[in-house]
């Protein structure tokens, strides 16, 4: 009994010390209040508490404004964005146990300010706030007239929300002291708040298009080339050109551990809403990306993106909609082997211009060497040393190398930094591109979600040719999800598409890239009758799914419902197709083996 009492006293003292150390700071006590620029004052407060653990910064509810004039500035390498000097609203470096509690406040940013930067943090929580920008990083124009024969259209624009100039019949949008031409563009339907069906035929070439100002807020667009003028009342969204169109993500997290994002809404960002690099364990709960009432579109790029992480990425109860790219992308990175110096040393280089400065690996990380021709690994070892040469290249020393170094182009992949992914009870919809991209060797569970995106529903890819996103999957379960009209952008866009991206010089045939993918118990509302496409997959189970005919878009049964190429150990059982005028096709290529097809209602094989 005495030992028990001593234990209780000890635990109570420990808890008391912990509670005593957890300090809540009301930012109003430090002059941080709505109605003025709080950037400098907040940056100073953050600097004052940087060495103190377990602090909560509490914001009384209101709108807090951030301006770039007095914001902290540092050069930042940001994956899948444009590197450079970044000014920051919340520069959080090396914080431990910090909580930012916005108390349902709005954080409004006036210009090129990255709202949140987390670098080398641990146990940090961000919660209860909205992020928005006073002016967007894209422009929206409403179509009011069109002449299909002459290939012209007239659009209206709010010049206060989207300021612009016209020079030599070319339009340039003023995005915080940067003049952007039309660049990338897409057409949205205000009735659905989604990209219009087959939107590619309305894409215009900004360099060739002639723009003339008419009376009032009207602009005339001519010289559309092969493009069709967008339908009346639709919205043309234009968002700039690389490499200066992804300058300002909403939240950037690097080299951190145990991060939680809860009850956050991102209404706009000049890049991705959330970009996370080399971070262990992150939990998103009610993390929402959506457009405000005054805009059609939310963020310039992906809602969420994770590069070279580990531990667990958990996303639940979140809404991701109206962004101009994917809902979530989880992957690693392939780096090129430029030369072998001998003595287990290599010069390697970052492969994509928007990955410059990426931390590929550190001493102790396990890596694979692979052929860029087959995109398959052939040797595993570990890193003993990495020395950065510049943003693009680094010197890497390995513990072991093959007895004979193979000829031909080689790459490396980090095997240590591959996270598990759990997604449940999320909605991803009405966006350009895909709902989910995932290439990680960790365990993947995607269940009870709602997906409605312009391109593939879930893309399991990996490529050593374009974005160099690594991570051939080994254990994926996709179950009890709802897919609605996947692929309304047109073409062969599937709810599930699993295949590496290959160049004409790359090839399959010496092994399989992806393994063990289970697609079960899902419900698909579909106008095109598509379910799954596979290439270079060993172990694919498509079972107990129901696909119902949708009339939301033009009927199109041009492609096989299930299309198998160079795959092995495939099971297609107990699927049901309802409401289609003809049986849905299951196609198998000659190099696909061990396929079991049984009891599929409404299908033909």
């Amino acid at each position: 009994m005495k030992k028990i009492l001593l234990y209780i006293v000890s635990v109570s003292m420990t808890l008391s010390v912990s509670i005593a150390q957890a300090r809540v700071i009301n930012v109003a006590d430090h002059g941080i209040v709505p109605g003025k620029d709080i950037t400098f004052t907040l940056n100073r407060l953050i600097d004052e508490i940087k060495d103190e653990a377990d602090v909560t910064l509490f914001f009384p509810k209101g709108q807090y404004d951030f301006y770039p004039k007095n914001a902290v500035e540092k050069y930042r390498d940001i994956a899948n964005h444009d590197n450079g000097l970044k000014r920051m609203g919340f520069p959080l470096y090396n914080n431990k146990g910090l909580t930012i509690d916005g108390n349902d406040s709005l954080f409004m940013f006036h210009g090129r300010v990255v709202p949140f930067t987390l670098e080398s943090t641990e146990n940090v929580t961000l919660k209860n706030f909205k992020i928005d920008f006073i002016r967007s990083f894209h422009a929206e124009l409403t179509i009011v007239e069109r002449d299909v024969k002459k290939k012209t259209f007239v659009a209206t624009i709010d010049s206060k929300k989207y300021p612009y100039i016209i020079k030599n019949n070319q339009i340039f949008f003023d995005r915080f002291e940067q003049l952007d031409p039309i660049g990338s563009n897409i057409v949205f339907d205000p009735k659905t708040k989604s990209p219009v069906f087959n939107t590619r035929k309305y894409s215009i070439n900004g360099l060739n298009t002639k723009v003339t100002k008419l009376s009032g807020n009207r602009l005339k667009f001519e010289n559309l080339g092969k493009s069709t003028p967008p339908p009346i009342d639709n919205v043309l969204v234009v968002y700039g050109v690389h490499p200066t169109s992804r300058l300002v993500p909403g939240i950037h997290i690097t080299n951190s551990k145990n991060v939680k994002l809860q009850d956050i809404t991102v209404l706009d960002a000049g890049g991705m809403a959330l970009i996370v690099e080399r971070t262990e364990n992150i939990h998103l709960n009610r993390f929402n990306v959506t457009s405000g009432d005054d805009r059609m579109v939310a963020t310039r790029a992906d809602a969420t993106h994770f590069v070279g992480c580990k531990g667990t990425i958990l996303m639940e109860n979140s809404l991701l909609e109206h962004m101009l790219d994917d809902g979530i992308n989880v992957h690693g990175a392939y780096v090129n082997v430029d030369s072998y110096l001998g003595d287990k040393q290599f010069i390697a280089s970052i492969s994509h211009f928007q990955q410059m400065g990426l931390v590929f690996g550190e001493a102790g990380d396990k890596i694979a060497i692979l052929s860029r021709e087959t995109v398959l690994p052939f040797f595993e070892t570990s890193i003993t040393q990495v020395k950065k040469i510049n943003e693009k290249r680094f010197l890497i020393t390995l513990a072991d190398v093959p007895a004979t170094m193979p000829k031909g182009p080689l790459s490396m992949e980090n095997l240590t930094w591959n996270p598990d992914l759990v997604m449940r009870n999320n909605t991803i919809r009405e966006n350009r591109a895909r709902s989910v991209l995932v290439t990680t060797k960790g365990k993947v569970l995607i269940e009870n979600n709602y997906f409605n995106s312009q391109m593939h529903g879930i893309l399991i890819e990996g490529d050593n040719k374009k974005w160099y996103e690594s991570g051939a999957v080994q254990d994926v379960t996709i179950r009890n999800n709802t897919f609605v009209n996947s692929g309304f952008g047109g073409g062969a866009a599937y709810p599930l598409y699993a295949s590496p991206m290959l160049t004409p010089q790359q090839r399959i045939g010496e092994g399989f890239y992806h393994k063990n993918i289970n697609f079960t118990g899902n419900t698909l509302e579909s106008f095109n009758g598509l379910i799954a496409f596979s290439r270079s997959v060993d172990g694919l189970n498509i079972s107990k799914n129901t696909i119902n005919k949708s009339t939301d878009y033009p009927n199109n049964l041009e492609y096989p419902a299930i299309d198998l190429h160079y795959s092995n150990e495939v099971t297609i059982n107990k699927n049901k197709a309802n409401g289609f005028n003809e049986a849905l096709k299951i196609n198998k290529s000659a190099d696909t083996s061990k396929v079991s097809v049984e009891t599929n209602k409404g299908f033909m094989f």
Side-chain angles (χ1 to χ4, degrees), residues 17 84 126 132 159 163 171 259 308 436 473 476:
V17 171
L126 309 179
D132 201 0
S159 59
I171 190 168
V259 178
V436 178
V473 301
V476 176

Side-chain angles (χ1 to χ4, degrees), residues 486-503:
S486 295
F488 61 82
Y494 285 79
L496 170 65
Y497 191 98
S499 170
M501 182 192 294
L502 301 171
T503 68

Side-chain angles (χ1 to χ4, degrees), residues 46-243:
I46 289 171
D47 187 60
E48 289 174 0
I49 64 166
K50 64 183 180 181
D51 297 323
E52 184 177 350
D54 303 318
V55 174
T56 294
L57 295 185
F58 177 81
F59 288 75
K61 185 175 180 179
Q63 176 175 316
Y64 295 85
D65 294 280
F66 297 77
Y67 290 79
K69 182 178 179 181
N70 293 315
V72 170
E73 180 180 71
K74 288 189 178 182
Y75 189 92
R76 299 286 297 168
D77 297 316
I78 305 180
N80 295 83
H81 285 73
D82 306 316
N83 295 344
L85 288 170
K86 308 294 181 185
R87 297 187 181 186
M88 298 168 279
F90 287 81
L92 307 178
Y93 285 75
N94 304 300
N95 298 92
K96 290 183 171 41
L98 176 67
T99 296
I100 304 294
D101 186 350
N103 190 34
D104 201 26
S105 292
L106 172 63
F107 296 150
M108 180 65 77
F109 295 85
H110 298 253
R112 291 197 201 174
V113 183
V114 177
F116 282 86
T117 299
L118 280 67
E119 171 72 46
S120 301
T121 67
E122 190 170 341
N123 299 321
V124 167
T125 297
L126 309 179
K127 64 180 183 178
N128 304 329
F129 58 80
K130 297 182 179 68
I131 292 173
D132 201 0
F133 285 79
I134 200 70
R135 282 207 339 252
S136 184
F137 293 85
H138 68 272
E140 299 182 6
L141 302 88
T142 301
I143 312 303
V144 294
E145 296 179 20
R146 72 192 297 232
D147 189 321
V148 176
K149 201 168 190 179
K150 294 182 179 178
K151 289 190 175 292
T152 67
F153 66 89
V154 176
T156 60
I157 184 171
D158 185 333
S159 59
K160 290 184 179 179
K161 289 169 62 175
Y162 311 112
Y164 67 91
I165 64 169
I166 294 176
K167 185 177 180 181
N168 298 326
N169 293 121
Q170 189 174 4
I171 190 168
F172 296 90
F173 298 93
D174 182 359
R175 299 199 174 114
F176 305 113
E177 301 178 358
Q178 173 178 299
L179 292 176
D180 282 346
I182 288 176
S184 300
N185 58 92
I186 191 171
V187 177
F188 270 68
D189 183 345
K191 294 177 183 177
T192 63
K193 296 202 82 172
S194 302
V196 300
F197 177 72
N198 203 13
T199 186
R200 288 173 292 184
K201 70 180 183 179
Y202 305 117
S203 180
I204 61 177
N205 186 324
L207 294 176
N208 297 334
T209 301
K210 177 183 177 182
V211 182
T212 307
K213 189 176 187 327
L214 304 179
S215 60
N217 61 349
R218 293 154 54 91
L219 301 173
K220 185 175 183 178
F221 291 75
E222 303 174 272
N223 298 348
L224 302 184
K226 296 180 180 180
S227 299
T228 300
I232 291 174
D233 294 331
N234 283 188
V235 175
L236 174 66
V237 180
V238 299
Y239 45 105
V241 296
H242 289 308

Side-chain angles (χ1 to χ4, degrees), residues 200-408:
R200 288 173 292 184
K201 70 180 183 179
Y202 305 117
S203 180
I204 61 177
N205 186 324
L207 294 176
N208 297 334
T209 301
K210 177 183 177 182
V211 182
T212 307
K213 189 176 187 327
L214 304 179
S215 60
N217 61 349
R218 293 154 54 91
L219 301 173
K220 185 175 183 178
F221 291 75
E222 303 174 272
N223 298 348
L224 302 184
K226 296 180 180 180
S227 299
T228 300
I232 291 174
D233 294 331
N234 283 188
V235 175
L236 174 66
V237 180
V238 299
Y239 45 105
V241 296
H242 289 308
T244 56
S245 63
R246 292 185 177 187
L247 294 166
V248 186
I251 300 172
H252 181 208
I253 302 172
T254 58
N255 304 302
S256 294
K257 185 176 182 179
N258 302 334
V259 178
K260 186 171 185 178
L261 308 178
Q262 180 173 313
D263 295 301
I264 295 172
T265 298
V266 181
L267 297 168
D268 199 3
M272 298 170 180
L274 171 68
I275 173 68
V276 184
E277 305 176 58
R278 205 168 173 84
T279 289
E280 181 177 359
N281 300 329
I282 181 165
H283 181 191
L284 282 65
N285 187 22
R286 295 185 296 277
F287 181 84
N288 302 322
V289 176
T290 185
S291 55
D293 294 336
D294 62 334
R295 297 187 192 120
M296 185 69 54
V297 163
T299 59
R300 161 65 184 82
D302 299 356
T304 65
H305 201 111
F306 303 84
V307 184
C309 295
K310 72 176 181 179
T312 300
I313 298 168
L314 170 59
M315 176 189 286
E316 56 185 347
N317 310 312
S318 296
L319 169 66
L320 311 176
E321 62 180 3
H322 309 154
M323 52 280 180
L324 288 171
D325 217 323
D326 306 308
I328 179 173
N329 191 348
V330 179
H331 65 87
Y334 290 122
V335 296
N336 289 338
V337 174
D338 293 339
S339 60
Y340 178 48
L341 305 180
D343 198 25
K344 304 174 185 177
Q345 290 188 326
F346 300 80
I347 291 180
S349 63
I350 304 297
S351 307
H352 190 274
F353 74 94
Q354 283 190 325
Q355 300 285 11
M356 298 302 172
L358 178 78
V359 177
F360 168 72
E362 295 175 336
D365 287 355
K366 187 177 179 181
I367 66 106
I369 304 176
L370 62 150
S371 162
R372 289 192 65 202
E373 183 183 359
T374 64
V375 203
L376 295 174
F378 61 83
F379 189 81
E380 293 184 6
T381 182
S382 60
I383 299 173
T384 58
Q385 188 179 57
V386 177
K387 287 186 177 181
K388 183 176 179 179
I389 299 173
N390 50 46
E391 271 191 330
K392 182 175 176 62
R393 287 184 170 80
F394 54 92
L395 177 67
I396 183 168
T397 306
L398 303 181
D400 299 289
V401 296
T404 302
M405 194 63 62
K407 295 181 180 179

Side-chain angles (χ1 to χ4, degrees), residues 534-574:
S534 77
R535 179 185 287 114
S536 196
V537 177
D538 186 12
L540 174 63
N541 176 27
I542 303 173
S543 300
K544 299 180 181 179
N545 302 288
T546 299
I547 180 168
N548 301 313
K549 180 72 172 68
S550 166
T551 58
D552 293 336
Y553 295 100
N555 181 63
N556 178 12
L557 299 181
E558 179 181 355
Y559 304 99
I562 299 174
D563 201 3
L564 309 174
H565 297 264
Y566 185 59
S567 296
N568 182 51
E569 295 284 2
V570 180
T571 300
I572 304 173
N573 288 342
K574 298 181 181 179

Side-chain angles (χ1 to χ4, degrees), residues 566-594:
Y566 185 59
S567 296
N568 182 51
E569 295 284 2
V570 180
T571 300
I572 304 173
N573 288 342
K574 298 181 181 179
N575 301 286
K576 295 180 182 179
N578 301 318
F580 294 91
N581 294 328
E582 58 186 86
L584 301 183
K585 298 175 183 177
I586 299 172
N587 177 68
K588 178 183 80 70
S589 65
D591 56 3
T592 291
S593 55
K594 298 182 182 178

